[in-house]
Every structure is written in C-alpha cells, then in structure tokens.
Amino acid sequence: MKVETTGRIFEGQCAVRTEVCRAREIGALTAVTTAEGEQIHVCGACLQHLSETSAWHIPGTRPRPRPRRVVETRSIW
Ligand SMILES: [Zn+2]
C-alpha cells in the first residue's frame, strides 16, 4: 500500500499496533494518508516496521533502519 506522510506529529493511540508498536496506549504519532485519501494515525515504530516489511511504500524513505540519532545525542549530554 502506498502512503504519504503528512509530517504532523501529535499524541494519541496508534491505529496500526504491530508487534513493535510504541503507542498502544498514548504515544507520539504521525498521520499518513493512503491513495484513497484515508488518514491513518501511526507511531514511528509501526511506520518503520511497515516500511521495512514492504507493507507500506512511503516516498522518500528507505526500507532500512536509520541511525539512532536520539541515542547519540543523549550520550553527548
Ligand atoms: Zn504503533
């Protein structure tokens, strides 16, 4: 399924909830839209998981994990 990210970030409950989900209750979500115009609220972990498993095709993203920049930033401080 081809989806596009809207870039909007907000808190809520993930609509996808894969086994790697980080927002089963409340977490940071982004909104993606499908080709049919449906909007899905999904957490970053599920978004990446679905991209890696090729379930979702997201323009501008690669189907591989990105460097964990958050961890690097924390180690500096
Ligand atoms: Zn999720």
Side-chain angles (χ1 to χ4, degrees), residues 3 13-24 28-30 32 40-56 58:
V3 302
Q13 191 179 58
C14 182
V16 183
R17 290 185 245 177
T18 66
E19 63 266 32
V20 298
C21 189
R22 288 178 196 158
R24 288 173 196 271
L29 306 178
T30 189
V32 300
I40 302 171
H41 296 173
V42 59
C43 73
C46 289
L47 188 66
Q48 184 174 313
H49 179 71
L50 290 167
S51 175
E52 284 171 13
T53 57
S54 298
W56 284 5
I58 306 157

Side-chain angles (χ1 to χ4, degrees), residues 3-15:
V3 302
E4 287 193 26
T5 57
T6 61
R8 287 175 50 215
I9 305 289
F10 47 89
E11 279 202 336
Q13 191 179 58
C14 182

